[in-house]
Amino acid sequence: MPEDTDWEVYKAPPKRTPVGERATSLPNPVEFFQAVFNNVIDRPVTLIREWIERQQNRNKFYYYHQQFRRVPDVSECVEGDYLCFFEAEAQWRRDRMVDREIVAIVRERFAACQHREGPNQFQNCAKEMEQLLQVTKAYQDKYGDLGAHGNARTCLMKQNTAGFILVSGVQTRYCMGQL
Amino acid sequence: MAAALLLRAAAAWAARRAAGGAAGTARLLPPAAPARLPGTLAPVRHSSHGKRMFIIKATSFYDSRFLKLLRFYILLTGLPVAILITYVNIFIGEAELAEIPEGYVPDYWEYYKHPISRWIARYILDPPEKDYEKCMALLDVEAKKAEMRLMTLEARRLMRARGDGPWYHYETPDKNLTDDSFKSTPDN
């Protein structure tokens, strides 16, 4: 089943509109529709969902995020050691997947902030914007022009050429490290 | 009975119309003409549910047979699969994410969320470690083969060049068979 969004993560801050006084003695139609929706749709659905969760809670089981051991990099492999290449390549691909997910999460945070703030986004979302800029720049530096068939070896070559262009003092061994 | 009532109502209406026509022609509302199919004079009144008609239309036998067979063969496996998946989703449910406890090494199928994925990973597919090792074994064999081929080429080259190895030996006749003594004529 597809991943459900976690409603608690991007919750908007509580609204501060003041409670208004009743000006008429007529009942509010919104309350009527809310009551109808609650009783006709919300209550039965909630009851069914709770029943299903009771059935599922009788035998719970868990899943974990797999931790992979770090293996030597491509840069530490002797030429002709194909097993070392294979393991380093697998590790590089896993790292690239993780980096892609990181970029996606940061982008999602920025989008949520934008949606929340509306016209105030340029002032209030500056932190998220800065974070997104940094993360995307780092991703571009690491995996940028490798193309669809990039692998650990091409990334190493890119790092070797990019090292000549960068200003000295900036860390150059960032192809194989974490983002 | 309904037809009889209809007849009586029609007769009364006709009588009223005749009387109205004799009284005066000016009327506030002219009587509406009954809707009629072209070419008909009056509706036919049967005492039954109407005449049985033989309606001529193109055959739907082949179409309905196809749709029946389609539904049958799709639902033959579709329905059990749907019931199974519904049962699994409602009564077994998905796994919950948890931190790996200290000192515990999860089995390779415990990294999946959905129970059917876990079942497939556990009973049908090989563990990923086995796939990894098999791949590495293939690479190792091929790497060793490539190395062996390069070494044989190098050995062959050296033996041919130096002539001191077991290869590139061409049998020549024994030198003791040659007669080096001086001959009486030059063309011996």
Side-chain angles (χ1 to χ4, degrees):
Chain A
M1 301 195 109
E3 194 62 43
D4 265 340
T5 49
D6 194 357
W7 298 109
E8 301 302 316
V9 173
Y10 297 123
K11 244 186 154 58
K15 299 207 187 316
R16 298 186 301 176
T17 50
V19 178
E21 301 133 15
R22 302 280 320 255
T24 70
S25 55
L26 286 175
N28 193 352
V30 173
E31 287 171 15
F32 168 71
F33 289 118
Q34 276 176 348
V36 164
F37 177 83
N38 278 343
N39 292 333
V40 174
I41 301 177
D42 200 11
R43 280 257 308 276
V45 168
T46 314
L47 288 172
I48 293 173
R49 179 72 203 171
E50 280 167 9
W51 177 80
I52 290 178
E53 293 202 335
R54 276 202 300 275
Q55 306 303 316
Q56 291 180 357
N57 282 348
R58 281 188 299 189
N59 37 2
K60 280 167 90 75
F61 49 100
Y62 301 97
Y63 77 108
Y64 312 100
H65 280 161
Q66 189 162 10
Q67 311 279 352
F68 291 93
R69 282 197 295 267
R70 300 300 296 182
V71 289
D73 276 334
V74 170
S75 48
E76 294 166 27
C77 282
V78 179
E79 180 66 31
D81 188 357
Y82 298 106
L83 298 180
C84 181
F85 283 146
F86 178 76
E87 297 210 41
E89 179 74 34
Q91 182 180 257
W92 183 84
R93 275 174 205 256
R94 283 196 296 268
D95 290 341
R96 189 177 57 169
M97 248 196 271
V98 167
D99 291 337
R100 281 177 176 164
E101 290 297 319
I102 292 174
V103 172
I105 286 173
V106 170
R107 198 187 294 136
E108 196 182 282
R109 270 192 216 163
F110 178 61
C113 178
Q114 240 182 351
H115 178 80
R116 235 186 3 244
E117 302 289 337
N120 307 329
Q121 61 189 313
F122 299 105
Q123 279 92 17
N124 294 358
C125 293
K127 273 207 299 285
E128 276 87 355
M129 201 189 297
E130 185 58 39
Q131 204 177 25
L132 182 65
L133 276 174
Q134 279 173 355
V135 159
T136 44
K137 174 154 197 325
Y139 186 88
Q140 182 76 4
D141 288 338
K142 235 181 170 184
Y143 305 106
D145 298 310
L146 300 177
H149 298 294
N151 55 29
R153 191 187 276 253
T154 54
C155 189
L156 179 65
M157 290 299 117
K158 176 185 172 182
Q159 178 196 297
N160 287 348
T161 54
F164 298 126
I165 303 169
L166 282 176
V167 180
S168 66
V170 179
Q171 187 192 358
T172 54
R173 258 196 55 83
Y174 59 124
C175 184
M176 300 300 147
Q178 295 299 311
L179 200 83
Chain B
M1 187 186 110
L5 280 173
L6 188 60
L7 266 173
R8 244 203 275 152
W13 174 79
R16 265 204 312 268
R17 188 145 180 260
T25 50
R27 272 187 203 87
L28 289 167
L29 289 167
R36 214 175 279 265
L37 285 173
T40 54
L41 295 173
V44 175
R45 302 167 212 138
H46 300 284
S47 314
S48 58
H49 285 283
K51 181 171 153 66
R52 231 167 63 137
M53 307 288 263
F54 181 78
I55 305 195
I56 298 176
K57 59 183 202 276
T59 179
S60 56
F61 171 72
Y62 298 101
D63 295 336
S64 46
R65 182 182 69 176
F66 167 72
L67 290 171
K68 265 190 263 183
L69 289 173
L70 185 75
R71 279 195 300 262
F72 174 71
Y73 282 110
I74 286 178
L75 291 178
L76 187 62
T77 47
L79 222 54
V81 165
I83 290 173
L84 178 77
I85 293 178
T86 310
Y87 175 82
V88 165
N89 278 337
I90 291 183
F91 290 98
I92 300 181
E94 291 181 342
E96 274 179 35
L97 184 56
E99 288 291 325
I100 300 180
E102 285 297 323
Y104 177 66
V105 178
D107 291 306
Y108 63 96
W109 66 82
E110 288 178 359
Y111 295 115
Y112 296 95
K113 188 156 73 153
H114 197 268
I116 296 182
S117 309
R118 283 166 87 101
W119 187 87
I120 292 174
R122 187 173 176 178
Y123 291 108
I124 297 181
L125 298 177
D126 279 327
E129 292 88 7
K130 183 174 169 187
D131 286 334
Y132 198 77
E133 294 294 325
K134 271 165 74 170
C135 200
M136 292 223 281
L138 277 176
L139 283 174
D140 191 41
V141 163
E142 291 299 315
K144 290 203 163 82
K145 275 160 72 174
E147 202 186 324
M148 289 301 291
R149 284 179 195 133
L150 284 172
M151 286 205 294
T152 51
L153 282 174
E154 184 67 16
R156 198 186 279 186
R157 185 182 68 82
L158 285 171
M159 279 198 233
R160 196 188 180 88
R162 295 177 193 165
D164 57 352
W167 296 350
Y168 292 104
H169 266 183
Y170 303 101
E171 288 297 325
T172 48
D174 190 4
K175 70 174 174 13
N176 298 327
L177 296 172
T178 54
D179 184 8
D180 295 326
S181 57
F182 292 107
K183 310 290 187 292
S184 55
T185 51
D187 298 324
N188 271 358

